[in-house]
Amino acid sequence: MEQPTTVTADESALVAAFEARIAAGESIEPKDWMPERYRRQLIRMMSQHAHSEIVGMLPEGNWITRAPSLRRKMSLIAKVQDEAGHGLYIYCGTETLGVDRHELVAQLLDGRAKYSSIFNYPTLSWADMGVIGWFVDGAAIVNQTILAKASYGPYARAMVRICKEENFHKRQGYEICATLANGTPAQREMLQEAVNRFWWPSLMMFGPSDTDSPNSAELLKWRVKRKTNDELRQRFINLTVPQAAAIGVTLPDPDLRFNAETNNWEFGEIDWAEFFQVIGGNGPCNKERIAARQKAHDDGAWVREAATAHAGKQRRDVQAA
Amino acid sequence: MAGHDDEEAGVAAGSASAVTINVAGTRGPSFGAPLVEYVLRLGDDRLVLGHRLSEWTGHGPILEEDIALSNMALDLVGQANMFLGLAGELEGKGRDADALAFFREGVQYRNALIVELPRGDFGFTMARQFLFDVYSVLLLDALASCAHEQLAAIAAKSLKECKYHLRHSSEWVVRLGDGTEESHARVQQSLNELWRYTGELFAHDEIDAAVAALGVTVDAGALQSRWDNMVQDVLQRATLSVPTDVVMTMGGRRGRHTEHLGHMLAVMQSVARAHPGATW
């Protein structure tokens, strides 16, 4: 990701034209010229996003077999299936930048690629299925609504489509929470406990504070990102506080208070040491998540080989005929 | 539950007439206990198989296949929801699909044994799916024109989904059988293990006889011969052989299950049973 040390005159003219297009609000398409750093930034962001969808299937998949009603079982299967679909769709989008899915998956499995830190937390009760939908999909929507206006066409279009489904997931999650909140004392307790565990890790999903975010400035300039991490985090908090109040859930932050001048909910200090531990591979479930993906990959090797071999035989048969 | 247990006792004793008399006496002349039992079989097959498929979600061999397995799981649980809902309605004791799914013991489940076996590897899952899908498509096709309107409607709706499942599972059986030496050996081994559970799908008992009298007619013999032909056709294309000289294992339709079902239900029912009476 180093800046090229020399830029030719031709290239600087291309960069100027590229930046002018972005400034004019045009979208960049796969065949358009783009600076190498732009391409790499996008591959990094899009593949992280795709990996997050795939790894994100695991904590929720963990409760499919225990969903307490057939309706909940179906909607959870459908939700996790949607995530697989999003992953696939974004991997395909990333391929338009000249990198193939196998390489991206290899990067995930060997730890070179990152994914959202939230999925390294365990799912410990049914209420987590509600809270993840409400917080995690809610946070994803805040992020992705902005990404839908990003400069790279295939990513922006993917976000428009994905956001629609995420909105549905969020409503579904919040509805699970509202049902628990209206339920038995044990259900209410289960909900509050899950909220307590997921609130702070959900705020960390927006990434480090802008002052500590190494990639933000350039991403903003090229309209790969459109808002800073802190702006998005604040927006998420402002949206979520009233939703918590509506179902009688307490957000676990004694410093949370409304500032009438800024119209923002001010919040307490995020434990960034925990965040950096989790993205550094030392979260509660990092090893389990990657091990599960690795196992699926390894167990599936003979299946993929068989599919390739069969397809090869079919092609030969067609040619021989 | 008491009345339901009585019916089971009648079935277990193999006394068709006792069941029929019970039905006529307590549930009116048209449809009754044998039909409840029959529809439970349809629901339980799909719930248990759908559950087994859902264990793959997030762990499939290819992303596309993860989506396909989840999709089939979703269809089957959805079908189970409809069949169990109907069974509860016909039973008339206020049990809905969830009460039947989450608050029955293993011995009260009526699924065929083949669907409750652990998912195994992908070859086992697909071989089982294929054998079941052929059966399911043929059965639902017959039921779609049966005399019971609601049952026929659910069967017709499910049939559309199961036809897609069958196309998918038979393509995979061919792909794996014809693919590599390893895939061929694995899927053949799975077929060999699964075969002894296929006979149960075509067993004709007093429940089938009783519902036939009510206009829910499925010719088990014809079903089996069509199943044989369709299965043989695909296995031939897959260069796989049909296992022979297999002694069939049965019991699921009467609640005599393998030991696997209890563990599956322990997981599936754990949250619902920890909070009896709760709404989700």
PDB file of all heavy atoms in Angstrom, chain B residues 217-253:
ATOM      1  N   THR B 217     -55.557 -41.631  -1.005  1.00  0.00           N
ATOM      2  CA  THR B 217     -55.090 -42.898  -1.550  1.00  0.00           C
ATOM      3  C   THR B 217     -53.727 -42.775  -2.204  1.00  0.00           C
ATOM      4  O   THR B 217     -53.551 -41.967  -3.116  1.00  0.00           O
ATOM      5  CB  THR B 217     -56.068 -43.400  -2.646  1.00  0.00           C
ATOM      6  OG1 THR B 217     -57.387 -43.070  -2.223  1.00  0.00           O
ATOM      7  CG2 THR B 217     -55.943 -44.877  -2.861  1.00  0.00           C
ATOM      8  N   VAL B 218     -52.806 -43.560  -1.715  1.00  0.00           N
ATOM      9  CA  VAL B 218     -51.506 -43.638  -2.375  1.00  0.00           C
ATOM     10  C   VAL B 218     -51.219 -45.117  -2.560  1.00  0.00           C
ATOM     11  O   VAL B 218     -51.247 -45.885  -1.598  1.00  0.00           O
ATOM     12  CB  VAL B 218     -50.411 -42.998  -1.500  1.00  0.00           C
ATOM     13  CG1 VAL B 218     -49.052 -43.202  -2.142  1.00  0.00           C
ATOM     14  CG2 VAL B 218     -50.689 -41.520  -1.293  1.00  0.00           C
ATOM     15  N   ASP B 219     -50.980 -45.503  -3.800  1.00  0.00           N
ATOM     16  CA  ASP B 219     -50.675 -46.904  -4.087  1.00  0.00           C
ATOM     17  C   ASP B 219     -49.193 -47.139  -3.800  1.00  0.00           C
ATOM     18  O   ASP B 219     -48.319 -46.788  -4.585  1.00  0.00           O
ATOM     19  CB  ASP B 219     -51.013 -47.184  -5.560  1.00  0.00           C
ATOM     20  CG  ASP B 219     -50.737 -48.632  -5.954  1.00  0.00           C
ATOM     21  OD1 ASP B 219     -49.964 -49.309  -5.235  1.00  0.00           O
ATOM     22  OD2 ASP B 219     -51.284 -49.067  -6.972  1.00  0.00           O
ATOM     23  N   ALA B 220     -48.914 -47.740  -2.616  1.00  0.00           N
ATOM     24  CA  ALA B 220     -47.525 -47.887  -2.178  1.00  0.00           C
ATOM     25  C   ALA B 220     -46.707 -48.729  -3.153  1.00  0.00           C
ATOM     26  O   ALA B 220     -45.542 -48.443  -3.415  1.00  0.00           O
ATOM     27  CB  ALA B 220     -47.480 -48.500  -0.778  1.00  0.00           C
ATOM     28  N   GLY B 221     -47.343 -49.757  -3.703  1.00  0.00           N
ATOM     29  CA  GLY B 221     -46.624 -50.634  -4.627  1.00  0.00           C
ATOM     30  C   GLY B 221     -46.209 -49.871  -5.885  1.00  0.00           C
ATOM     31  O   GLY B 221     -45.057 -49.941  -6.330  1.00  0.00           O
ATOM     32  N   ALA B 222     -47.139 -49.102  -6.431  1.00  0.00           N
ATOM     33  CA  ALA B 222     -46.839 -48.318  -7.632  1.00  0.00           C
ATOM     34  C   ALA B 222     -45.783 -47.258  -7.328  1.00  0.00           C
ATOM     35  O   ALA B 222     -44.884 -46.995  -8.124  1.00  0.00           O
ATOM     36  CB  ALA B 222     -48.103 -47.657  -8.154  1.00  0.00           C
ATOM     37  N   LEU B 223     -45.929 -46.669  -6.123  1.00  0.00           N
ATOM     38  CA  LEU B 223     -44.970 -45.646  -5.701  1.00  0.00           C
ATOM     39  C   LEU B 223     -43.557 -46.237  -5.685  1.00  0.00           C
ATOM     40  O   LEU B 223     -42.612 -45.665  -6.201  1.00  0.00           O
ATOM     41  CB  LEU B 223     -45.355 -45.152  -4.296  1.00  0.00           C
ATOM     42  CG  LEU B 223     -44.673 -43.922  -3.759  1.00  0.00           C
ATOM     43  CD1 LEU B 223     -45.156 -42.690  -4.504  1.00  0.00           C
ATOM     44  CD2 LEU B 223     -44.975 -43.750  -2.268  1.00  0.00           C
ATOM     45  N   GLN B 224     -43.455 -47.432  -5.084  1.00  0.00           N
ATOM     46  CA  GLN B 224     -42.142 -48.053  -4.954  1.00  0.00           C
ATOM     47  C   GLN B 224     -41.551 -48.412  -6.319  1.00  0.00           C
ATOM     48  O   GLN B 224     -40.354 -48.211  -6.550  1.00  0.00           O
ATOM     49  CB  GLN B 224     -42.213 -49.299  -4.083  1.00  0.00           C
ATOM     50  CG  GLN B 224     -40.837 -49.973  -3.953  1.00  0.00           C
ATOM     51  CD  GLN B 224     -40.698 -50.768  -2.686  1.00  0.00           C
ATOM     52  OE1 GLN B 224     -41.696 -51.203  -2.103  1.00  0.00           O
ATOM     53  NE2 GLN B 224     -39.466 -50.954  -2.241  1.00  0.00           N
ATOM     54  N   SER B 225     -42.366 -48.899  -7.220  1.00  0.00           N
ATOM     55  CA  SER B 225     -41.770 -49.306  -8.497  1.00  0.00           C
ATOM     56  C   SER B 225     -41.340 -48.076  -9.302  1.00  0.00           C
ATOM     57  O   SER B 225     -40.305 -48.093  -9.974  1.00  0.00           O
ATOM     58  CB  SER B 225     -42.703 -50.239  -9.276  1.00  0.00           C
ATOM     59  OG  SER B 225     -43.680 -49.495  -9.948  1.00  0.00           O
ATOM     60  N   ARG B 226     -42.111 -46.999  -9.185  1.00  0.00           N
ATOM     61  CA  ARG B 226     -41.667 -45.765  -9.865  1.00  0.00           C
ATOM     62  C   ARG B 226     -40.401 -45.225  -9.211  1.00  0.00           C
ATOM     63  O   ARG B 226     -39.496 -44.714  -9.876  1.00  0.00           O
ATOM     64  CB  ARG B 226     -42.780 -44.705  -9.824  1.00  0.00           C
ATOM     65  CG  ARG B 226     -43.963 -45.065 -10.721  1.00  0.00           C
ATOM     66  CD  ARG B 226     -45.007 -43.976 -10.718  1.00  0.00           C
ATOM     67  NE  ARG B 226     -44.529 -42.752 -11.337  1.00  0.00           N
ATOM     68  CZ  ARG B 226     -45.120 -41.565 -11.224  1.00  0.00           C
ATOM     69  NH1 ARG B 226     -46.231 -41.459 -10.520  1.00  0.00           N
ATOM     70  NH2 ARG B 226     -44.621 -40.506 -11.814  1.00  0.00           N
ATOM     71  N   TRP B 227     -40.348 -45.313  -7.883  1.00  0.00           N
ATOM     72  CA  TRP B 227     -39.148 -44.864  -7.146  1.00  0.00           C
ATOM     73  C   TRP B 227     -37.929 -45.673  -7.599  1.00  0.00           C
ATOM     74  O   TRP B 227     -36.878 -45.122  -7.903  1.00  0.00           O
ATOM     75  CB  TRP B 227     -39.393 -45.037  -5.637  1.00  0.00           C
ATOM     76  CG  TRP B 227     -38.294 -44.542  -4.744  1.00  0.00           C
ATOM     77  CD1 TRP B 227     -38.141 -43.285  -4.258  1.00  0.00           C
ATOM     78  CD2 TRP B 227     -37.203 -45.316  -4.207  1.00  0.00           C
ATOM     79  NE1 TRP B 227     -37.027 -43.217  -3.447  1.00  0.00           N
ATOM     80  CE2 TRP B 227     -36.428 -44.446  -3.405  1.00  0.00           C
ATOM     81  CE3 TRP B 227     -36.804 -46.648  -4.335  1.00  0.00           C
ATOM     82  CZ2 TRP B 227     -35.283 -44.867  -2.716  1.00  0.00           C
ATOM     83  CZ3 TRP B 227     -35.657 -47.069  -3.653  1.00  0.00           C
ATOM     84  CH2 TRP B 227     -34.918 -46.195  -2.862  1.00  0.00           C
ATOM     85  N   ASP B 228     -38.112 -47.004  -7.657  1.00  0.00           N
ATOM     86  CA  ASP B 228     -37.012 -47.875  -8.096  1.00  0.00           C
ATOM     87  C   ASP B 228     -36.478 -47.437  -9.457  1.00  0.00           C
ATOM     88  O   ASP B 228     -35.267 -47.308  -9.648  1.00  0.00           O
ATOM     89  CB  ASP B 228     -37.499 -49.334  -8.217  1.00  0.00           C
ATOM     90  CG  ASP B 228     -37.586 -50.013  -6.853  1.00  0.00           C
ATOM     91  OD1 ASP B 228     -36.913 -49.536  -5.912  1.00  0.00           O
ATOM     92  OD2 ASP B 228     -38.321 -51.012  -6.731  1.00  0.00           O
ATOM     93  N   ASN B 229     -37.397 -47.196 -10.391  1.00  0.00           N
ATOM     94  CA  ASN B 229     -36.981 -46.824 -11.741  1.00  0.00           C
ATOM     95  C   ASN B 229     -36.235 -45.494 -11.769  1.00  0.00           C
ATOM     96  O   ASN B 229     -35.191 -45.371 -12.405  1.00  0.00           O
ATOM     97  CB  ASN B 229     -38.196 -46.716 -12.668  1.00  0.00           C
ATOM     98  CG  ASN B 229     -38.781 -48.086 -12.968  1.00  0.00           C
ATOM     99  OD1 ASN B 229     -38.082 -49.103 -12.836  1.00  0.00           O
ATOM    100  ND2 ASN B 229     -40.049 -48.114 -13.329  1.00  0.00           N
ATOM    101  N   MET B 230     -36.797 -44.512 -11.048  1.00  0.00           N
ATOM    102  CA  MET B 230     -36.170 -43.187 -11.074  1.00  0.00           C
ATOM    103  C   MET B 230     -34.805 -43.211 -10.394  1.00  0.00           C
ATOM    104  O   MET B 230     -33.843 -42.608 -10.860  1.00  0.00           O
ATOM    105  CB  MET B 230     -37.084 -42.146 -10.407  1.00  0.00           C
ATOM    106  CG  MET B 230     -38.282 -41.773 -11.277  1.00  0.00           C
ATOM    107  SD  MET B 230     -39.527 -40.777 -10.401  1.00  0.00           S
ATOM    108  CE  MET B 230     -38.695 -39.184 -10.287  1.00  0.00           C
ATOM    109  N   VAL B 231     -34.720 -43.920  -9.280  1.00  0.00           N
ATOM    110  CA  VAL B 231     -33.451 -43.994  -8.559  1.00  0.00           C
ATOM    111  C   VAL B 231     -32.411 -44.728  -9.401  1.00  0.00           C
ATOM    112  O   VAL B 231     -31.281 -44.266  -9.559  1.00  0.00           O
ATOM    113  CB  VAL B 231     -33.650 -44.679  -7.177  1.00  0.00           C
ATOM    114  CG1 VAL B 231     -32.311 -45.046  -6.560  1.00  0.00           C
ATOM    115  CG2 VAL B 231     -34.436 -43.754  -6.248  1.00  0.00           C
ATOM    116  N   GLN B 232     -32.834 -45.850  -9.986  1.00  0.00           N
ATOM    117  CA  GLN B 232     -31.888 -46.618 -10.805  1.00  0.00           C
ATOM    118  C   GLN B 232     -31.370 -45.807 -11.974  1.00  0.00           C
ATOM    119  O   GLN B 232     -30.193 -45.870 -12.313  1.00  0.00           O
ATOM    120  CB  GLN B 232     -32.560 -47.888 -11.330  1.00  0.00           C
ATOM    121  CG  GLN B 232     -32.432 -49.041 -10.330  1.00  0.00           C
ATOM    122  CD  GLN B 232     -33.227 -50.261 -10.753  1.00  0.00           C
ATOM    123  OE1 GLN B 232     -33.419 -50.492 -11.957  1.00  0.00           O
ATOM    124  NE2 GLN B 232     -33.704 -51.031  -9.781  1.00  0.00           N
ATOM    125  N   ASP B 233     -32.246 -45.044 -12.573  1.00  0.00           N
ATOM    126  CA  ASP B 233     -31.864 -44.230 -13.726  1.00  0.00           C
ATOM    127  C   ASP B 233     -30.753 -43.239 -13.355  1.00  0.00           C
ATOM    128  O   ASP B 233     -29.748 -43.120 -14.060  1.00  0.00           O
ATOM    129  CB  ASP B 233     -33.099 -43.495 -14.240  1.00  0.00           C
ATOM    130  CG  ASP B 233     -32.760 -42.545 -15.358  1.00  0.00           C
ATOM    131  OD1 ASP B 233     -32.201 -43.021 -16.361  1.00  0.00           O
ATOM    132  OD2 ASP B 233     -33.032 -41.330 -15.223  1.00  0.00           O
ATOM    133  N   VAL B 234     -30.932 -42.565 -12.215  1.00  0.00           N
ATOM    134  CA  VAL B 234     -29.928 -41.577 -11.805  1.00  0.00           C
ATOM    135  C   VAL B 234     -28.634 -42.270 -11.359  1.00  0.00           C
ATOM    136  O   VAL B 234     -27.533 -41.845 -11.715  1.00  0.00           O
ATOM    137  CB  VAL B 234     -30.477 -40.662 -10.685  1.00  0.00           C
ATOM    138  CG1 VAL B 234     -29.370 -39.800 -10.090  1.00  0.00           C
ATOM    139  CG2 VAL B 234     -31.601 -39.788 -11.224  1.00  0.00           C
ATOM    140  N   LEU B 235     -28.772 -43.355 -10.616  1.00  0.00           N
ATOM    141  CA  LEU B 235     -27.559 -44.043 -10.149  1.00  0.00           C
ATOM    142  C   LEU B 235     -26.755 -44.587 -11.332  1.00  0.00           C
ATOM    143  O   LEU B 235     -25.529 -44.585 -11.315  1.00  0.00           O
ATOM    144  CB  LEU B 235     -27.914 -45.174  -9.169  1.00  0.00           C
ATOM    145  CG  LEU B 235     -28.530 -44.733  -7.845  1.00  0.00           C
ATOM    146  CD1 LEU B 235     -28.623 -45.900  -6.870  1.00  0.00           C
ATOM    147  CD2 LEU B 235     -27.761 -43.588  -7.203  1.00  0.00           C
ATOM    148  N   GLN B 236     -27.462 -45.000 -12.352  1.00  0.00           N
ATOM    149  CA  GLN B 236     -26.765 -45.489 -13.538  1.00  0.00           C
ATOM    150  C   GLN B 236     -25.951 -44.359 -14.184  1.00  0.00           C
ATOM    151  O   GLN B 236     -24.795 -44.538 -14.534  1.00  0.00           O
ATOM    152  CB  GLN B 236     -27.794 -46.043 -14.524  1.00  0.00           C
ATOM    153  CG  GLN B 236     -27.174 -46.880 -15.621  1.00  0.00           C
ATOM    154  CD  GLN B 236     -28.262 -47.563 -16.454  1.00  0.00           C
ATOM    155  OE1 GLN B 236     -29.464 -47.303 -16.279  1.00  0.00           O
ATOM    156  NE2 GLN B 236     -27.838 -48.421 -17.359  1.00  0.00           N
ATOM    157  N   ARG B 237     -26.602 -43.190 -14.295  1.00  0.00           N
ATOM    158  CA  ARG B 237     -25.874 -42.048 -14.865  1.00  0.00           C
ATOM    159  C   ARG B 237     -24.703 -41.659 -13.999  1.00  0.00           C
ATOM    160  O   ARG B 237     -23.704 -41.128 -14.459  1.00  0.00           O
ATOM    161  CB  ARG B 237     -26.826 -40.849 -15.016  1.00  0.00           C
ATOM    162  CG  ARG B 237     -27.715 -40.938 -16.248  1.00  0.00           C
ATOM    163  CD  ARG B 237     -28.364 -39.614 -16.547  1.00  0.00           C
ATOM    164  NE  ARG B 237     -29.476 -39.346 -15.651  1.00  0.00           N
ATOM    165  CZ  ARG B 237     -29.718 -38.169 -15.086  1.00  0.00           C
ATOM    166  NH1 ARG B 237     -28.913 -37.140 -15.330  1.00  0.00           N
ATOM    167  NH2 ARG B 237     -30.741 -38.006 -14.281  1.00  0.00           N
ATOM    168  N   ALA B 238     -24.828 -41.935 -12.695  1.00  0.00           N
ATOM    169  CA  ALA B 238     -23.775 -41.571 -11.748  1.00  0.00           C
ATOM    170  C   ALA B 238     -22.714 -42.668 -11.649  1.00  0.00           C
ATOM    171  O   ALA B 238     -21.785 -42.541 -10.860  1.00  0.00           O
ATOM    172  CB  ALA B 238     -24.390 -41.318 -10.377  1.00  0.00           C
ATOM    173  N   THR B 239     -22.867 -43.729 -12.442  1.00  0.00           N
ATOM    174  CA  THR B 239     -21.993 -44.907 -12.395  1.00  0.00           C
ATOM    175  C   THR B 239     -21.950 -45.536 -11.001  1.00  0.00           C
ATOM    176  O   THR B 239     -20.951 -46.109 -10.595  1.00  0.00           O
ATOM    177  CB  THR B 239     -20.542 -44.609 -12.881  1.00  0.00           C
ATOM    178  OG1 THR B 239     -19.872 -43.818 -11.879  1.00  0.00           O
ATOM    179  CG2 THR B 239     -20.504 -43.875 -14.204  1.00  0.00           C
ATOM    180  N   LEU B 240     -23.063 -45.417 -10.287  1.00  0.00           N
ATOM    181  CA  LEU B 240     -23.151 -46.003  -8.944  1.00  0.00           C
ATOM    182  C   LEU B 240     -24.011 -47.259  -9.008  1.00  0.00           C
ATOM    183  O   LEU B 240     -24.866 -47.384  -9.875  1.00  0.00           O
ATOM    184  CB  LEU B 240     -23.785 -44.988  -7.980  1.00  0.00           C
ATOM    185  CG  LEU B 240     -22.938 -43.751  -7.681  1.00  0.00           C
ATOM    186  CD1 LEU B 240     -23.795 -42.636  -7.090  1.00  0.00           C
ATOM    187  CD2 LEU B 240     -21.770 -44.097  -6.756  1.00  0.00           C
ATOM    188  N   SER B 241     -23.761 -48.183  -8.076  1.00  0.00           N
ATOM    189  CA  SER B 241     -24.577 -49.396  -8.123  1.00  0.00           C
ATOM    190  C   SER B 241     -25.618 -49.405  -7.013  1.00  0.00           C
ATOM    191  O   SER B 241     -25.420 -48.852  -5.932  1.00  0.00           O
ATOM    192  CB  SER B 241     -23.691 -50.637  -8.063  1.00  0.00           C
ATOM    193  OG  SER B 241     -22.735 -50.497  -7.053  1.00  0.00           O
ATOM    194  N   VAL B 242     -26.737 -50.048  -7.330  1.00  0.00           N
ATOM    195  CA  VAL B 242     -27.835 -50.175  -6.374  1.00  0.00           C
ATOM    196  C   VAL B 242     -27.480 -51.289  -5.392  1.00  0.00           C
ATOM    197  O   VAL B 242     -27.191 -52.402  -5.801  1.00  0.00           O
ATOM    198  CB  VAL B 242     -29.141 -50.526  -7.113  1.00  0.00           C
ATOM    199  CG1 VAL B 242     -30.281 -50.736  -6.119  1.00  0.00           C
ATOM    200  CG2 VAL B 242     -29.491 -49.447  -8.120  1.00  0.00           C
ATOM    201  N   PRO B 243     -27.463 -50.981  -4.091  1.00  0.00           N
ATOM    202  CA  PRO B 243     -27.142 -52.033  -3.109  1.00  0.00           C
ATOM    203  C   PRO B 243     -28.158 -53.172  -3.187  1.00  0.00           C
ATOM    204  O   PRO B 243     -29.350 -52.945  -3.442  1.00  0.00           O
ATOM    205  CB  PRO B 243     -27.254 -51.293  -1.774  1.00  0.00           C
ATOM    206  CG  PRO B 243     -27.075 -49.846  -2.109  1.00  0.00           C
ATOM    207  CD  PRO B 243     -27.677 -49.680  -3.462  1.00  0.00           C
ATOM    208  N   THR B 244     -27.674 -54.378  -3.010  1.00  0.00           N
ATOM    209  CA  THR B 244     -28.590 -55.536  -3.069  1.00  0.00           C
ATOM    210  C   THR B 244     -28.497 -56.332  -1.772  1.00  0.00           C
ATOM    211  O   THR B 244     -27.570 -56.132  -0.973  1.00  0.00           O
ATOM    212  CB  THR B 244     -28.216 -56.466  -4.251  1.00  0.00           C
ATOM    213  OG1 THR B 244     -26.805 -56.692  -4.191  1.00  0.00           O
ATOM    214  CG2 THR B 244     -28.584 -55.840  -5.580  1.00  0.00           C
ATOM    215  N   ASP B 245     -29.421 -57.231  -1.591  1.00  0.00           N
ATOM    216  CA  ASP B 245     -29.455 -58.106  -0.412  1.00  0.00           C
ATOM    217  C   ASP B 245     -29.387 -57.331   0.891  1.00  0.00           C
ATOM    218  O   ASP B 245     -28.561 -57.616   1.757  1.00  0.00           O
ATOM    219  CB  ASP B 245     -28.295 -59.118  -0.453  1.00  0.00           C
ATOM    220  CG  ASP B 245     -28.472 -60.092  -1.594  1.00  0.00           C
ATOM    221  OD1 ASP B 245     -29.640 -60.369  -1.948  1.00  0.00           O
ATOM    222  OD2 ASP B 245     -27.453 -60.554  -2.148  1.00  0.00           O
ATOM    223  N   VAL B 246     -30.200 -56.311   0.990  1.00  0.00           N
ATOM    224  CA  VAL B 246     -30.194 -55.481   2.194  1.00  0.00           C
ATOM    225  C   VAL B 246     -31.436 -55.798   3.041  1.00  0.00           C
ATOM    226  O   VAL B 246     -32.543 -55.836   2.513  1.00  0.00           O
ATOM    227  CB  VAL B 246     -30.190 -53.984   1.817  1.00  0.00           C
ATOM    228  CG1 VAL B 246     -30.244 -53.108   3.065  1.00  0.00           C
ATOM    229  CG2 VAL B 246     -28.945 -53.656   0.986  1.00  0.00           C
ATOM    230  N   VAL B 247     -31.224 -56.038   4.308  1.00  0.00           N
ATOM    231  CA  VAL B 247     -32.366 -56.231   5.211  1.00  0.00           C
ATOM    232  C   VAL B 247     -32.828 -54.852   5.670  1.00  0.00           C
ATOM    233  O   VAL B 247     -32.034 -54.053   6.160  1.00  0.00           O
ATOM    234  CB  VAL B 247     -31.973 -57.082   6.435  1.00  0.00           C
ATOM    235  CG1 VAL B 247     -33.155 -57.212   7.405  1.00  0.00           C
ATOM    236  CG2 VAL B 247     -31.493 -58.451   5.990  1.00  0.00           C
ATOM    237  N   MET B 248     -34.105 -54.572   5.470  1.00  0.00           N
ATOM    238  CA  MET B 248     -34.611 -53.231   5.768  1.00  0.00           C
ATOM    239  C   MET B 248     -34.855 -53.026   7.265  1.00  0.00           C
ATOM    240  O   MET B 248     -35.275 -53.933   7.962  1.00  0.00           O
ATOM    241  CB  MET B 248     -35.910 -52.996   4.994  1.00  0.00           C
ATOM    242  CG  MET B 248     -35.716 -52.930   3.493  1.00  0.00           C
ATOM    243  SD  MET B 248     -34.702 -51.499   3.043  1.00  0.00           S
ATOM    244  CE  MET B 248     -34.273 -51.904   1.336  1.00  0.00           C
ATOM    245  N   THR B 249     -34.574 -51.794   7.709  1.00  0.00           N
ATOM    246  CA  THR B 249     -34.807 -51.407   9.098  1.00  0.00           C
ATOM    247  C   THR B 249     -35.969 -50.420   9.136  1.00  0.00           C
ATOM    248  O   THR B 249     -35.985 -49.467   8.360  1.00  0.00           O
ATOM    249  CB  THR B 249     -33.559 -50.703   9.663  1.00  0.00           C
ATOM    250  OG1 THR B 249     -32.453 -51.579   9.480  1.00  0.00           O
ATOM    251  CG2 THR B 249     -33.722 -50.378  11.144  1.00  0.00           C
ATOM    252  N   MET B 250     -36.922 -50.668  10.007  1.00  0.00           N
ATOM    253  CA  MET B 250     -38.100 -49.786  10.077  1.00  0.00           C
ATOM    254  C   MET B 250     -38.441 -49.465  11.524  1.00  0.00           C
ATOM    255  O   MET B 250     -37.845 -50.009  12.439  1.00  0.00           O
ATOM    256  CB  MET B 250     -39.305 -50.487   9.454  1.00  0.00           C
ATOM    257  CG  MET B 250     -39.065 -50.964   8.039  1.00  0.00           C
ATOM    258  SD  MET B 250     -40.590 -51.494   7.269  1.00  0.00           S
ATOM    259  CE  MET B 250     -39.938 -52.243   5.765  1.00  0.00           C
ATOM    260  N   GLY B 251     -39.396 -48.604  11.694  1.00  0.00           N
ATOM    261  CA  GLY B 251     -39.870 -48.334  13.060  1.00  0.00           C
ATOM    262  C   GLY B 251     -40.293 -46.905  13.304  1.00  0.00           C
ATOM    263  O   GLY B 251     -41.066 -46.604  14.196  1.00  0.00           O
ATOM    264  N   GLY B 252     -39.750 -45.977  12.496  1.00  0.00           N
ATOM    265  CA  GLY B 252     -40.001 -44.557  12.729  1.00  0.00           C
ATOM    266  C   GLY B 252     -41.467 -44.178  12.717  1.00  0.00           C
ATOM    267  O   GLY B 252     -41.912 -43.349  13.511  1.00  0.00           O
ATOM    268  N   ARG B 253     -42.240 -44.810  11.831  1.00  0.00           N
ATOM    269  CA  ARG B 253     -43.656 -44.462  11.700  1.00  0.00           C
ATOM    270  C   ARG B 253     -44.444 -44.808  12.961  1.00  0.00           C
ATOM    271  O   ARG B 253     -45.550 -44.331  13.162  1.00  0.00           O
ATOM    272  CB  ARG B 253     -44.277 -45.198  10.506  1.00  0.00           C
ATOM    273  CG  ARG B 253     -43.648 -44.898   9.139  1.00  0.00           C
ATOM    274  CD  ARG B 253     -43.758 -43.439   8.781  1.00  0.00           C
ATOM    275  NE  ARG B 253     -43.342 -43.180   7.404  1.00  0.00           N
ATOM    276  CZ  ARG B 253     -42.891 -42.013   6.997  1.00  0.00           C
ATOM    277  NH1 ARG B 253     -42.758 -41.001   7.850  1.00  0.00           N
ATOM    278  NH2 ARG B 253     -42.538 -41.837   5.738  1.00  0.00           N
TER     279      ARG B 253
END
